[in-house]
Amino acid sequence: MTGADHLRLLVDLHRHAARQGPGGDEETRLAVALSGLRSAKGLKIADIGCGTGASALVLAQELDVTVAAVDLVPEFLQVLDRAAGQAGLDERIETRSAAMEALPFPDRSLDAIWSEGAIYNMGFAAGIQSWRRHLKPGGILAVSELTWLTSERPAELERHWREQYPEVATASAKIAVLEANGYAPIGYFALPERCWLENYYRPMQARFAGFLARNGPSAAASAIVAAEEFEIALYERNAAHVGYGYYLARRTGDRHQVRP
Ligand code: SAH
């Protein structure tokens, strides 16, 4: 199987979902509250790895903003375009198919960069380093990222996530990475289990039968379902130890810093 075939299958599994990763509208609103951006006017925010746009829609509802919603997958952006139209938010959300490694924004042009469950594609440190230049001095970074919730973890959990995502770490370690890269942390919270189970894993499990029927008999499709089921069971056994942390930070380290 080629990489393109694998991507096509992943898009087929995820395009009919409200979310392509753990999260929740309430939690996006909490991050908005912590960001301090509610009273600002005429904001320009990029939502990176937006998928079908769950967080972009909340940002457009909650703030006086234009959201540039960026994803590599045009099929996801089409779903967001439709949803934005239906919600009367199409003037506020502009979808852009682009790679997060080379964002199509001028330096110092964004009031905030949002990214839920997507920065792992670049790696947390590489992502925050490369995105910083696009933020105005004092601009806000809001990202959710796989995080250890305890200082000691069961071996099966360590093994799986260290292999899948070597940058998995505790919140204090992630915050230290932010501080070392020109950001001042302003907020942190962990997503509740509901964001994984009710909002992400259970709806995905409900799509497995249709996914297998559309793509079967296919060893590749079956392997994707088996891998997801393994990850879901692992999460269910270990939800006390691993989750998504939501990190809010301000671009700092600039002379003559102005707040947005
Ligand atoms: N933020 C959404 C989607 C998270 S899944 C949500 O929380 O529901 C991760 C997303 O990142 C997917 O939509 C995937 O298409 C996108 N993605 C993966 N690699 C990317 C890259 N290199 N550049 C831009 N987007 C990417």
Side-chain angles (χ1 to χ4, degrees), residues 2-151:
T2 65
D5 291 336
H6 188 70
L7 181 63
R8 186 191 62 73
L9 285 171
L10 287 178
V11 170
D12 183 60
L13 176 59
H14 288 286
R15 68 188 294 189
H16 302 292
R19 299 188 163 274
Q20 288 71 41
D25 289 0
E26 249 179 80
E27 287 67 30
T28 305
R29 281 193 285 270
L30 175 56
V32 167
L34 292 169
S35 76
L37 293 172
R38 271 202 207 284
S39 54
K41 301 277 173 238
L43 293 166
K44 176 91 181 147
I45 298 183
D47 184 345
I48 312 300
C50 64
T52 57
S55 55
L57 290 162
V58 171
L59 293 173
Q61 281 157 3
E62 296 284 317
L63 295 170
D64 181 7
V65 68
T66 308
V67 181
V70 176
D71 204 279
L72 211 47
V73 176
E75 288 93 332
F76 292 162
L77 298 176
Q78 283 161 16
V79 176
L80 172 54
D81 279 330
R82 232 177 357 256
Q86 279 163 5
L89 295 169
D90 37 349
E91 302 271 290
R92 293 177 159 231
I93 298 180
E94 178 204 340
T95 56
R96 299 187 74 160
S97 177
M100 62 173 73
E101 293 82 356
L103 293 177
F105 306 111
D107 287 359
R108 300 184 171 220
S109 63
L110 299 171
D111 295 291
I113 290 181
W114 230 266
S115 184
E116 295 193 359
I119 198 170
Y120 72 88
N121 288 291
M122 274 188 85
F124 185 79
I128 65 165
Q129 283 160 10
S130 121
W131 298 351
R132 184 178 180 278
R133 53 192 277 232
H134 304 293
L135 283 173
K136 295 177 185 173
I140 297 292
L141 176 80
V143 293
S144 67
E145 160 82 342
L146 194 74
T147 298
W148 294 137
L149 305 177
T150 51
S151 54

